[in-house]
């Protein structure tokens, strides 16, 4: 194998071999060292040699070992409720697709895929749909994620090119984070910035976000921008750059078109749309105009908006006007969400793209792709973008859909409508690792997919770096790789030669060879040097970023122009900061902003398995400003009914001054598998950006009212409870489950209720019940130990949850008080997931040991010393505890 020393295996004497692979969560693309523990599990560490993370991992990456259980995995194909052979299932899929196409044409079928597929899976899906089925009806959850960035890049650069690399973040003097909660969503990049700022305190960070987040803690300046006000902000900046003599006239003259029109439009704009105080605005302008090395990082607060593409171009305009692009420490930086969002874009996974950054609307590009694939056909019109795709499923224009590696019943806007569309669809196929996702439950055929630890291939991260994911564990049951299943269907549909793939290496070689087309048409994506990799070289492939340079040095784009437009020049675009009317007038009565929490990944199918990741925020919630709570007669920990699209959602009320009055925030992660009614995407709008088709997931108009519970409950149980009440939410614990409960009518007998909910009909009930006061505590005991316990009160239940989640197995008299006995302190809600350290433990240590820094907390308790994801919260806790203390 050409002396390529088994790159992926680091064998130390007497130690099992660690396998190098890549984290399957966010677009940072961290390298992971996974060592089989001999018991079917893996020990997980950060890969010190991976350039993205240099050994770091965040809480989610660190807990990968807790997500490998077979429980819940789909182990065999299913047709309806019956288990089927692969042959039967795939014959059915191929036959139904073929028949539907024959009767109604190729546009009557669709694939809805995912930025979490590996490049090889994605490549085959795209080839099958566009080249052989002959429709462009393949779209992906990247439409909900990166589409506005793609459209903005293409408008300005002529291609979807991210100009910079991660080391620019360390080299910058000013980092502007726009609509990005990097601390929670790209934690390792955030930690890289934290370290750079600690080493160079002169470095400044600005955070542009309507709400205060964990990311704001690092910021020297937080701009509480009005929702959607980002275009006006960057237009104001463009004017300030022009008026302050900061425009790089030479760069613009040589490489940029459209400067005058963009500036004229910016001048016509009203900075009031930013909603910022004049002081904050001028501080922002002062810092940006006065700093040469600026990186502007942006993410879903930019992309997921009705004016998302314009936001992207407003940002790009400022970097183009100043020539601050593609040079060390400078540039716009769209960070990708999913691990392979970038790879999907490279292989043309979106309905309006071709593979290798070629354009579907270009006849020469289409012809070249068709020839390369030796394909019978190639569509000449873009397919349906995600929102339209499900609309067409709903109205019957699309009659068969294959959903792969995504959970649209939870993640699509107006998810209730998407569910109705799938219920009415003639033929729905779902490929997933799990058989009980909300989407899989709506499928006619369920196909078991291998997951992260089992599959092989490549992913491309935010900085265009391609890394290998390597399979380490055997596929459970009959699960198969997505590329393999897609190829099998391609063969069964009648194209045996085109889909005769035996390995991901083979697919990767074909794809790398195909990037010659990109080169031929003068585009950016060139992987041709990798087209000849042998299987073993592919196995051993080290992380590599494109364009490939023999010395492996950082590779940036556009410092000297070289754009991929027809003229070779970039385009600045005139973009208006005027808000669409409904944004200007404010969403009535409340504007719902949605996003992510630190320890969960999307619809939780994997992170929900990890006890460590399920304690930080164990219940779906909505952040509401106290002034709004007063208006709505809501108290802390009440439950609120949030309604839009005719769909009610129940969320726990979390008072917060981090959101503004009139705006509320709710995380996206809870599904019907873990909560009674908490899918926030039921509430979001189908309105999309006109250029990218990306839905506005951050600005739904919702109404809010108190949910009039007559009782509230908290429960712990060794096995999964089966709640029967209006409100419930479940989360894993180290020894079972915890549940938050509330109901409209109390059951007649709490002991019976508990036995039923916990499925422990034989258990002895030890209880304390005060029916008049509405109080009940029931411990269910088997063989002297508590197997489950239920705590009920007429108000939100006040018990020590972190104590109770570890108390199963104790006797009922220890559990029923709901608080730890003397000498056994209550650790409080978990703040550091890696070491399971609670808020109370940290607070006590700060008080008793006089700790004054995050580092000191780490030394005393280990908290914050592994992944560092909780460091912003430790800092916040320190400041709230130490400021009043100092004043005493
Ligand atoms: N822990 C965790 N990490 C993840 C994920 C996860 O599920 N969990 N998912 C990954 C994926 S796929 C993605 S796409 C990324 C997303 O990463 P981010 O984009 O950082 O995450 P979000 O929380 O969706 O939204 C970012 C912020 O946009 C703000 N915002 C809302 N409206 C506006 C506005 O009009 N202007 C501005 N400037 N800001 C606004 C919100 O208040 C929010 O704080 O995270 C990735 N990483
Ligand atoms: N309201 C609102 N909605 C949003 C967003 C928001 O901010 N607000 N964000 C949007 C964004 S940016 C994104 S990226 C989406 C994410 O939304 P989804 O893509 O729907 O969420 P996931 O939970 O990541 O779904 C991935 C599914 O694939 C399965 N899976 C994992 N690995 C494999 C595999 O190798 N093969 C197969 N076949 N299946 C696998 C998992 O079990 C899971 O069911 O949500 C979008 N929706
Ligand atoms: S930052 Fe965390 S979630 Fe993202 S790739 Fe790295 S370890 Fe995985
Ligand atoms: Mo995303």
């Amino acid at each position: 194998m050409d002396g390529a020393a088994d790159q992926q295996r680091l064998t130390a004497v007497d130690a099992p071999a660690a396998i190098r692979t890549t984290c399957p969560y966010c677009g940072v693309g961290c390298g992971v060292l996974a060592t089989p523990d001999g018991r079917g599990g893996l020990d997980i560490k950060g890969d010190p040699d991976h350039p993205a993370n240099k050994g770091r991992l965040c809480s989610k990456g660190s807990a990968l070992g807790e997500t490998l259980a077979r429980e819940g995995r789909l182990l065999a194909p299913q047709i309806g409720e019956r288990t089927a052979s692969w042959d039967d299932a795939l014959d059915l899929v191929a036959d139904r697709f073929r028949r539907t196409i024959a009767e109604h044409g190729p546009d009557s079928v669709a694939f809805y895929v995912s930025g979490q597929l590996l490049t090889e899976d994605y490549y085959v899906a795209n080839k099958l749909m566009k080249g052989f089925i002959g429709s462009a009806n393949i779209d992906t959850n990247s439409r909900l994620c990166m589409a506005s960035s793609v459209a903005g890049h293409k408008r300005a650069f002529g291609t979807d090119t991210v100009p910079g690399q991660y080391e620019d973040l360390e080299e910058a003097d000013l980092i502007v984070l726009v609509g990005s909660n990097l601390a929670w969503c790209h934690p390792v990049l955030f930690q890289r910035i934290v370290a750079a700022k600690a080493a160079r305190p002169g470095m400044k960070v600005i955070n542009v976000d309507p709400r205060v987040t964990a990311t704001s803690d690092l910021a020297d300046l937080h701009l509480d921008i009005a929702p959607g006000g980002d275009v006006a902000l960057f237009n104001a900046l463009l004017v300030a750059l022009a008026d302050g003599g900061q425009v790089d006239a030479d760069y613009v003259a040589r490489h940029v078109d459209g400067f005058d029109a963009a500036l004229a439009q910016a001048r016509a704009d009203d900075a009031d749309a930013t909603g910022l105080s004049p002081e904050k605005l001028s501080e922002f302008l002062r810092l940006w105009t006065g700093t040469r090395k600026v990186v502007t990082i942006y993410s879903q607060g930019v992309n997921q908006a009705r004016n998302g593409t314009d936001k992207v171009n407003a940002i790009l305009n400022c970097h183009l006007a100043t020539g601050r692009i593609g040079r060390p420490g400078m540039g716009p930086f769209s960070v990708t969400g999913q691990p392979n969002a970038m790879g999907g874009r490279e292989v043309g996974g979106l309905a309006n793209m071709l593979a290798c950054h070629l354009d579907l609307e270009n006849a020469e590009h289409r012809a070249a792709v068709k020839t390369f694939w030796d394909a019978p056909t190639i569509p000449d019109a873009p397919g349906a973008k995600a929102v339209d795709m499900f609309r067409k499923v709903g109205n019957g224009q699309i009659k068969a859909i294959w959903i792969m590696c995504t959970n649209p019943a939870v993640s699509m806007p107006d998810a209730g409508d998407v569910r109705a569309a799938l219920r009415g669809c003639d033929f729905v196929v779902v490929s997933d690792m799990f058989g009980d996702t909300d989407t899989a439950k709506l499928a006619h055929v369920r196909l078991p997919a291998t997951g992260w630890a089992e599959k092989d291939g490549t992913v491309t991260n935010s900085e265009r770096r391609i890394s290998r994911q390597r399979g380490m564990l055997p596929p459970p049951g009959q699960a198969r790789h997505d590329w393999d299943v897609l190829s099998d269907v391609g063969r069964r549909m009648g194209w045996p030669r085109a889909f005769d793939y035996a390995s991901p290496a083979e697919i990767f070689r074909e794809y790398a060879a195909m990037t010659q087309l990109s080169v031929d048409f003068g585009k950016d994506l060139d992987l041709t040097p990798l087209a000849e990799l042998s299987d073993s070289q592919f196995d051993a492939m080290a992380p590599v970023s494109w364009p490939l340079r023999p010395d492996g040095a950082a590779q940036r784009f556009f410092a000297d122009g070289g754009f991929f437009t027809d003229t070779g020049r970039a385009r600045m675009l005139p973009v208006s900061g005027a808000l669409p009317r409904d944004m200007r007038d404010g969403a009535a009565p409340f504007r719902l902003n949605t996003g992510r929490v630190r320890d969960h990944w999307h619809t939780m199918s994997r992170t929900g398995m990890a006890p460590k990741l399920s304690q930080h925020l164990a219940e779906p919630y909505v952040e509401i400003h106290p002034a709004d709570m007063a208006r709505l007669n809501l108290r802390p920990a009440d439950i609120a009914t949030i309604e839009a699209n005719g769909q009610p959602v129940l969320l726990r009320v979390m008072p917060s001054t981090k959101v503004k009055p009139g705006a509320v925030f709710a995380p996206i992660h809870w599904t019907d598998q873990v909560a009674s009614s908490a899918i926030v995407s039921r509430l979001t709008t189908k309105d999309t950006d006109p250029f990218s088709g990306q839905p506005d997931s951050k600005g739904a108009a919702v109404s809010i009212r108190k949910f009039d519970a007559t009782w509230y409950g908290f429960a712990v149980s060794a096995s999964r409870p089966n709640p029967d009440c209006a409100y419930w939410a479940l989360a894993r614990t180290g020894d079972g489950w915890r549940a938050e409960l509330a109901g409209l009518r109390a059951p007649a007998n709490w002991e019976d209720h508990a036995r039923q909910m916990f499925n422990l009909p034989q258990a002895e009930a030890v209880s304390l019940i005060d029916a008049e006061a509405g109080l009940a505590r029931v411990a269910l005991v088997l063989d002297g130990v508590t197997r489950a316990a239920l705590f009920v009160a007429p108000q939100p239940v006040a018990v020590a949850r972190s104590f109770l989640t570890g108390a199963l197995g104790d006797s009922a008299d220890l559990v029923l008080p709901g608080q730890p006995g003397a000498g056994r302190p209550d650790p409080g809600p978990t703040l550091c997931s890696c070491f399971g350290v609670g808020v109370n433990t940290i607070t006590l240590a700060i008080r008793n040991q006089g700790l004054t820094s995050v580092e000191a907390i780490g030394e005393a308790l280990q908290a914050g010393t592994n992944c560092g994801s909780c460091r912003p919260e430790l800092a916040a806790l320190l400041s709230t505890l130490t400021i009043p203390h100092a004043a005493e």
Side-chain angles (χ1 to χ4, degrees):
M1 52 185 270
D2 322 310
D6 223 3
Q7 236 279 338
Q8 78 277 29
R9 283 175 207 284
L10 303 175
T11 317
V13 185
D14 292 328
I19 295 172
R20 286 184 199 277
T21 185
T22 311
C23 174
Y25 299 123
C26 85
V28 178
C30 295
V32 170
L33 291 181
T35 313
D37 63 8
R39 286 169 278 122
L42 296 170
D43 289 327
I44 301 293
K45 285 199 176 59
D47 180 352
D49 297 330
H50 196 289
N53 57 318
K54 299 176 183 150
R56 293 187 176 92
L57 290 178
C58 77
S59 49
K60 294 179 296 301
S62 302
L64 274 167
E66 289 189 10
T67 64
L68 305 172
R70 274 170 76 111
E71 191 188 331
R73 287 293 295 267
L74 183 59
L75 298 174
Q78 289 184 323
I79 299 174
E81 293 311 310
R82 129 183 110 78
T83 296
S85 69
W86 272 106
D87 259 344
D88 287 351
L90 296 191
D91 275 345
L92 179 65
V93 172
D95 185 54
R96 286 299 292 261
F97 268 74
R98 216 176 21 223
R99 273 187 10 221
T100 308
I101 294 163
E103 260 177 64
H104 305 283
D107 287 338
S108 64
V109 302
F111 292 169
Y112 182 62
V113 300
S114 165
Q116 294 166 68
L117 287 174
L118 303 184
T119 296
E120 294 71 19
D121 303 323
Y122 232 133
Y123 178 87
V124 178
N126 190 49
K127 179 176 177 182
L128 177 56
M129 183 51 85
K130 293 203 180 117
F132 290 79
I133 289 176
S135 167
N137 275 348
I138 170 167
D139 212 46
T140 128
N141 61 2
S142 283
R143 184 69 60 193
L144 319 178
C145 180
M146 304 312 303
S148 297
S149 278
V150 174
H153 286 154
K154 286 183 75 171
R155 288 206 300 187
F157 307 149
T159 44
D160 174 24
T161 312
V162 172
Q165 297 232 284
Y166 290 160
E167 55 195 64
D168 292 326
L169 309 184
E170 276 122 4
E171 295 194 34
D173 293 321
L174 172 63
I175 292 184
V176 184
L177 292 145
V178 192
S180 156
N181 185 7
L182 206 76
W184 281 10
C185 296
H186 299 87
V188 165
L189 278 190
F190 185 77
Q191 292 305 329
R192 283 179 66 162
I193 298 175
V194 170
K197 198 168 187 306
R200 256 182 335 113
M203 178 179 181
K204 294 272 185 282
V205 175
I206 300 176
N207 174 217
V208 185
D209 195 312
R211 69 184 182 118
V212 175
T213 66
T215 303
S216 316
D217 285 337
L218 184 68
D220 301 280
L221 177 65
H222 171 250
L223 298 185
D224 48 344
I225 189 123
D230 310 81
V231 177
L233 178 70
F234 283 88
N235 273 351
L237 175 62
L238 187 61
V239 172
L241 289 165
D243 292 350
Q246 301 285 324
V247 170
D248 184 339
D250 181 50
Y251 186 86
V252 172
R254 287 196 293 135
H255 303 306
V256 182
D257 287 332
F259 175 83
D260 290 338
L263 180 61
Q265 176 65 56
R267 281 197 195 283
D269 250 15
D270 186 352
D272 280 356
T274 62
L276 296 171
S277 69
E279 297 74 35
K280 280 198 169 181
L281 179 62
S282 64
E283 179 62 1
F284 168 75
L285 299 177
R286 189 185 70 75
L287 280 169
W288 215 106
T289 55
T291 315
R292 183 155 166 70
K293 289 190 163 185
V294 185
V295 173
T296 307
I297 296 178
Y298 55 96
S299 177
Q300 297 319 338
V302 167
N303 294 336
Q304 289 173 338
R306 262 162 278 202
N307 58 348
T309 307
D310 281 356
K311 287 188 188 189
V312 170
N313 286 105
I315 294 170
L316 300 184
N317 281 349
C318 294
H319 282 274
L320 287 170
T322 50
R324 293 177 193 167
I325 186 164
R327 300 171 200 266
M330 297 179 217
F333 210 130
S334 149
V335 282
T336 48
Q338 299 176 89
N340 200 29
M342 189 71 95
R345 285 147 67 177
E346 291 162 3
V347 299
L350 290 159
N352 52 334
M353 290 163 65
L354 284 178
C356 304
H357 284 187
L358 299 183
D359 301 320
L360 193 87
E361 57 272 21
N362 182 316
E364 287 177 47
H365 291 190
R366 288 198 304 271
V369 169
K370 183 170 178 289
T371 306
F372 183 88
W373 280 338
D374 193 12
T377 170
I378 198 93
D380 56 10
K385 299 180 178 131
V387 173
D388 278 336
M389 183 178 278
F390 285 96
R391 199 174 270 139
K392 288 184 170 184
V393 172
N395 69 21
Q397 282 175 271
I398 290 174
K399 297 173 192 305
I401 185 168
W402 187 352
I403 297 165
M404 186 171 280
C405 199
T406 175
N407 196 357
V410 183
S411 55
M412 280 291 291
D414 197 354
D417 206 41
V418 166
R419 287 166 187 237
L422 289 174
R423 263 187 225 109
C425 184
D426 289 350
F427 192 59
V428 178
V429 183
V430 170
S431 292
D432 205 289
M433 297 163 64
F434 301 94
D436 61 356
T437 71
D438 289 7
T439 305
K441 289 195 157 170
L442 300 169
H444 299 102
V445 178
R446 283 180 280 273
L447 302 175
T450 49
W452 168 72
E454 300 134 17
K455 61 195 285 187
D456 265 295
T458 56
V459 289
T460 313
N461 73 2
S462 296
E463 59 165 354
R464 292 175 269 103
R465 192 175 299 280
I466 301 174
S467 297
R468 286 280 280 102
Q469 259 191 31
R470 295 187 172 93
M472 297 153 275
L473 301 177
Q478 300 175 39
R480 281 170 65 180
H481 308 309
D482 293 308
W483 64 264
D484 179 33
V485 176
L486 281 156
S487 304
D488 199 338
V489 170
R491 292 193 297 269
R492 284 168 205 255
M493 287 182 75
W495 304 293
R497 240 174 3 96
F499 296 95
D500 185 23
Y501 299 115
S503 70
E506 231 174 79
I507 302 166
F508 182 83
R509 282 191 291 267
E510 179 178 314
Y511 158 55
M514 190 179 183
T515 62
Q516 180 63 43
L517 302 183
S518 163
V519 179
D520 293 346
F521 286 108
K523 298 273 179 183
D524 55 349
L525 178 65
D526 177 6
L527 304 180
T528 50
L530 304 175
E532 303 294 325
L533 292 184
S534 65
D535 285 2
S536 58
Q537 283 170 323
F538 180 74
D539 276 347
M541 191 171 124
V544 52
S545 71
W546 62 263
L548 308 161
R549 284 231 313 233
D551 58 0
Q555 184 64 291
R556 301 179 177 88
F557 283 93
F558 309 141
D560 298 311
F563 293 93
F564 299 99
T565 53
D566 295 343
T567 57
R569 295 163 67 81
R571 287 184 290 251
M572 282 174 64
L573 297 191
V575 285
S576 166
L579 293 177
R581 171 173 291 281
D582 52 342
M583 294 197 77
R584 204 167 55 227
D585 298 345
F590 288 92
R591 170 182 297 284
L592 171 70
N593 177 9
T594 62
R596 291 150 170 83
V597 303
R598 192 187 78 192
D599 288 353
H600 277 304
W601 179 259
H602 297 161
T603 70
M604 275 196 215
S605 65
R606 288 168 289 169
T607 50
M609 301 172 86
K612 265 190 191 156
L613 299 179
S614 301
Q615 308 310 310
H616 179 237
L617 290 162
E619 191 184 9
Y621 65 89
V622 56
E623 285 183 27
I624 309 185
H625 193 278
D628 288 333
M629 287 177 56
R631 267 204 297 150
L632 295 164
N633 197 21
L634 287 169
R635 291 161 310 167
D638 273 351
I639 292 163
T641 305
I642 323 265
E643 192 161 334
N645 303 325
Q647 314 246 344
V649 161
L650 301 180
L651 302 173
R652 183 76 66 177
V653 172
M654 190 188 276
S656 171
T657 52
K658 295 181 172 178
V659 291
K660 295 225 171 145
V664 299
F665 174 84
I668 58 175
H669 307 288
W670 280 266
T671 68
D672 285 353
Q673 307 313 304
V674 287
S676 48
S677 175
I679 294 167
V680 299
S681 296
R682 284 183 183 274
L683 307 171
T684 50
T685 166
K686 283 203 281 268
D687 285 357
T688 57
D689 175 275
F691 305 101
S692 65
Q694 178 155 357
D696 182 342
S697 316
K698 302 284 190 243
V702 298
S703 66
I704 304 178
R705 61 183 186 276
K706 185 171 152 64
F707 172 76
D708 284 313
T710 60
W711 64 271
Y712 294 83
F714 175 75
V716 286
S717 142
S719 59
R720 188 187 157 101
N722 187 19
D724 177 20
C725 50
Y727 174 87
W728 54 267
L730 304 182
R732 299 243 184 198
T733 65
D735 53 10
W737 294 82
R738 58 191 280 179
E740 298 287 347
L741 311 161
L744 295 169
R745 233 163 6 109
N749 182 318
W750 283 112
E751 291 184 357
D752 289 349
H753 186 80
R755 284 200 183 91
Q756 212 162 38
M757 172 165 62
F758 301 123
N759 195 20
L760 290 170
Q762 312 300 339
E764 177 200 351
V766 183
S767 46
L768 299 166
I769 292 178
D770 179 344
E772 207 142 298
L775 296 170
R777 294 181 172 205
V778 182
L780 294 187
V781 177
L782 279 180
D783 303 327
V785 298
T786 308
R787 301 294 308 272
L790 169 67
F791 300 80
V792 176
Q795 316 82 27
V797 177
V799 289
R801 286 167 168 71
S802 45
F803 156 71
L804 287 172
T805 53
L808 290 177
D810 281 347
S811 60
D813 58 321
L814 287 176
V815 175
L816 278 187
Q819 312 284 344
R824 203 168 145 186
D826 168 21
T830 303
L831 208 153
C832 167
S833 324
C834 295
F835 296 109
V837 190
V839 171
N840 296 352
T841 311
I842 300 166
T843 304
L844 265 182
I846 292 172
R847 291 234 164 92
N848 295 347
Q849 302 177 37
L851 307 178
T852 55
S853 67
V854 172
E855 286 67 33
I857 298 175
E859 271 170 41
L861 302 168
Q862 285 189 295
T865 57
N866 181 42
C867 77
S869 307
C870 64
R871 290 169 71 93
E873 287 153 278
L874 293 176
L877 187 63
L878 262 174
S879 69
T880 54
L881 292 172
T882 49
I883 291 164
H885 194 68
E888 274 169 17

